[in-house]
Structures are given as C-alpha cells and as structure tokens.
Amino acid sequence: MTTTATRHTASGPAGQPSPDRAPRVLSFSQKLSKWDLKVSPFLYISPFFIMFAIVGLFPIAYTAVISFMDWDLVRNSGEFIGFDQYIWILQNPQFWTALRNTFSIFLLSTVPQLILALFIAAMLDKNIRAKTFWRTSVLLPYVMAPVAVALIFSNMFGDNHGLVNNILTDIGLQPIPWHKDPFWSHVAIATMVNFRWVGYNALILLAAMQAVPREYYEAATVDGANTWRQFTAITMPSLRPTLIFVIITSTIGGLQIFDEPSQFDNTGQGGAAQQWLTVTLFLYNIGWREWNFGRAAALAWILFIIILVIGLINLMITRRLVRDEGGRGVLVRRKKGSRR
C-alpha cells in the first residue's frame, strides 16, 4: 500500500501529467518509422512513374517538338517550320482516304464484334458442361500473335486461290475480289479484328453478367418472363457501364489498327489504290518509307487529337447514361418502399 501511494503522489492526480515529467522525445527509429508510413507508398509506386516518364512522356514531348520541324534524321536536328507539317497532312488526299478507311473498318468490326461478344457471353453464363474449357477457349484467338492471324486470314481471303473463294466457286458462286474492292477488303480486315477481340470482350461481359444477382432472374421467372425478356429487362441494363467501357476500348483500338491491314498483302502499303490504307499505316509509310519524321509526328498528333475527342464524347455519354441509370434505380427503390 505504501508503494502504491508513493507512486500516485509522484505521478500527480489521475488524468493530469506531472509538472516534473520531462517532455517526450521521439527517437531516431520512431521518426524513421513515422516517415516510412508516409513516404514508402510513394517509393513503391515510383518505379512505374519513372519508367512511364522515360518511355512515355518524353517520347510524346519529343514527338510534339519534331512535328513543328523539318526533321533530319541523319543530323538529328531540324528547322522550325511551324504548322506546315500539319497543313501538309490535312491537305493530303491520302490522309482523308486513310481516315475514311479507318472508320469504315472500325464500324464493320465493332458492331458485329459487340453482338457476337454479347451472344457468347450469354451462352457462357448458362449452366453448361465444361464451362472452364469453353471460357478458356474463347480467349485463345487473343493470345495468338496478330501477325500470325493476319497471315492466315490473308491467305483465306486470297483473290485467286483463297479458301473462301474456292468454296464459293465450288458451290457455283462468283469469287469475291477481296484485294481489289474497297468494301470487301474492309470486310476481310474486320473479320480478322473480330476473330482476335470477340473472345476478349466476351469474357469482360461475362464477368459483368455474373455480377448480376441471381434473385432478379428467379423473380422474373416466377413472374412468367421468358429468357429473351430477362435478357432485355435485367441483363442489358446491368451491362450498360461495362458495354460503354468495351465500346470505348474498341474505339481506341479500332482507330489504331495496324497489324491486320499491313499484313493483308505482300507490300504492306494499303493496296494499289489505297483500298485499305489506315491512318496508322499511312503514318508508318511516311515515317519509315519516306523517312519524313516531322510529317509522321504531325500525323501522330492529329490521330491523338481524334482519339481524344472521341474519348471525351464517349465519356460524356457514359456519365449521362450512368446518371440516368442511377436516377431510375432510386425511383424504383422509392416505388418499392411506397408499396410496402
């Protein structure tokens, strides 16, 4: 008891520090631990940003400088000429031909691609046998090298001895001029793109479908809704944010298409009459065939601006659709609450 009383007297009343107690001083290890909690997360993620600055931001800035110059690759220097490179690109008829071909191939590939991806995802969402095998199989075309896919399909769509034309000839139909007619060349290239990306998009949509609560489908079945009604009333509204993401990524990839049109023939220049010349293929021809890196850099920035504008439009549509979907969800919950 004496020891306890003495201890309380030295420390002062409960809840009040003793006036004789020395102020607490943090040791070096405690200060280091405190700074470690604040600084270490930034140190852990800094390698990514350092590498991105070296291989990403610096080439972008360097390309922007070159786009305003008549660049000489041998001397690694150039003469400042302002917007002349941009004016040359915009006044070149091949640029508008390439832009038209790019959008044509993009539309022919994106629309069937999304429809097929939705269908495959809906089938994989069912309770079928060997689900893991089928889900893995649809991703195999995406794993294949783009050049290998392009070479295989370019032989399939050959004008003289291609597989497709041989089948058409055997059944009594006229062969299709895949490498001469602009429309059919776009169809062939779009088929290559669809072959690679349908399975990838299908798995993304499948993940979104499996996130939909099963209770919704059970309630719809009790109410007498058939499979198509459940798909349009439950699945599609739930997939809207994911569909918007898939559309945005498909748009960016479609505007940057290069491997398929470059491997569609032996020359890689977009056809004799630029039937399937795309913007990226036109950029490659200017940069590595004509060795004019100033014009190639200007075209790269024009393509970047086009993708940026389309991306902003998609972002505006995304926000509006998500806001509308959220408002409808609140309205439905209020109606349910009022019924109760």
Side-chain angles (χ1 to χ4, degrees):
M1 295 297 294
T2 305
T3 307
T4 306
T6 305
R7 188 176 300 170
H8 279 291
T9 303
S11 60
Q16 296 182 4
S18 175
D20 298 334
R21 178 182 295 179
R24 183 183 179 186
V25 179
L26 295 176
S27 64
F28 177 75
S29 60
Q30 290 175 329
K31 291 182 179 180
L32 186 62
S33 176
K34 183 179 179 181
W35 280 102
D36 179 64
L37 293 175
K38 295 181 178 180
V39 179
S40 58
F42 297 98
L43 293 178
Y44 295 149
I45 64 176
S46 60
F48 166 78
F49 290 99
I50 294 173
M51 291 299 299
F52 177 73
I54 295 174
V55 303
L57 293 180
F58 175 74
I60 292 174
Y62 194 70
T63 305
V65 174
I66 293 176
S67 66
F68 293 100
M69 304 179 72
D70 186 9
W71 190 259
D72 190 345
L73 185 63
V74 177
R75 297 194 306 268
N76 200 24
S77 62
E79 178 185 358
F80 181 79
I81 58 176
F83 287 92
D84 289 352
Q85 304 287 25
Y86 292 88
I87 295 173
W88 185 89
I89 293 293
L90 295 176
Q91 291 180 347
N92 194 325
Q94 286 189 355
F95 167 73
W96 299 104
T97 301
L99 189 63
R100 185 189 67 238
N101 293 341
T102 301
F103 277 100
S104 175
I105 296 172
F106 161 70
L107 293 176
L108 289 173
S109 60
T110 302
V111 177
Q113 183 182 138
L114 292 177
I115 296 174
L116 288 174
L118 273 173
F119 176 77
I120 294 175
M123 294 299 102
L124 293 176
D125 193 38
K126 302 296 181 181
N127 190 16
I128 59 176
R129 295 182 179 179
K131 291 188 293 186
T132 304
F133 170 77
W134 295 112
R135 292 173 183 176
T136 307
S137 300
V138 297
L139 197 61
L140 290 179
Y142 175 75
V143 179
M144 294 177 62
V147 176
V149 175
L151 290 175
I152 293 172
F153 276 85
S154 61
N155 291 324
M156 289 179 57
F157 293 109
D159 292 338
N160 297 325
H161 302 287
L163 176 63
V164 177
N165 278 347
N166 289 339
I167 295 175
L168 293 176
T169 303
D170 292 339
I171 62 178
L173 298 177
Q174 293 293 328
I176 298 175
W178 298 106
H179 289 76
K180 298 178 181 179
D181 187 85
F183 172 75
W184 289 112
S185 62
H186 295 177
V187 171
I189 295 173
T191 305
M192 304 180 200
V193 177
N194 291 335
F195 175 77
R196 285 195 62 220
W197 291 99
V198 164
Y200 175 83
N201 291 328
L203 290 184
I204 295 178
L205 296 173
L206 175 62
M209 288 181 182
Q210 292 187 330
V212 180
R214 298 293 106 176
E215 292 81 4
Y216 294 169
Y217 298 101
E218 294 174 0
T221 303
V222 172
D223 292 339
N226 56 21
T227 304
W228 175 251
R229 181 58 180 170
Q230 294 179 17
F231 180 78
T232 57
I234 299 176
T235 306
M236 288 300 295
S238 303
L239 291 180
R240 181 169 297 174
T242 307
L243 275 173
I244 294 173
F245 168 78
V246 172
I247 291 173
I248 292 176
T249 54
S250 299
T251 301
I252 296 174
L255 294 176
Q256 294 178 341
I257 184 173
F258 175 79
D259 294 316
E260 289 81 1
S262 65
Q263 299 295 325
F264 193 53
D265 65 351
N266 296 328
T267 62
Q269 297 186 7
Q274 288 81 47
Q275 301 96 315
W276 62 87
L277 179 70
T278 60
V279 175
T280 53
L281 193 57
F282 183 42
L283 188 153
Y284 179 85
N285 292 338
I286 293 176
W288 294 104
R289 296 183 188 275
E290 301 179 6
W291 293 90
N292 196 323
F293 287 89
R295 292 176 180 174
L299 179 56
W301 271 93
I302 292 175
L303 178 60
F304 170 75
I305 293 172
I306 293 173
I307 295 175
L308 181 62
V309 170
I310 296 177
L312 291 176
I313 294 173
N314 286 331
L315 181 61
M316 293 172 58
I317 296 174
T318 301
R319 288 181 175 178
R320 179 173 299 180
L321 291 176
V322 171
R323 191 183 303 116
D324 294 342
E325 185 67 23
R328 282 193 291 269
V330 173
L331 183 60
V332 170
R333 286 194 294 270
R334 288 179 179 175
K335 290 182 177 179
K336 290 182 178 179
S338 63
R339 290 176 182 176
R340 292 177 183 175

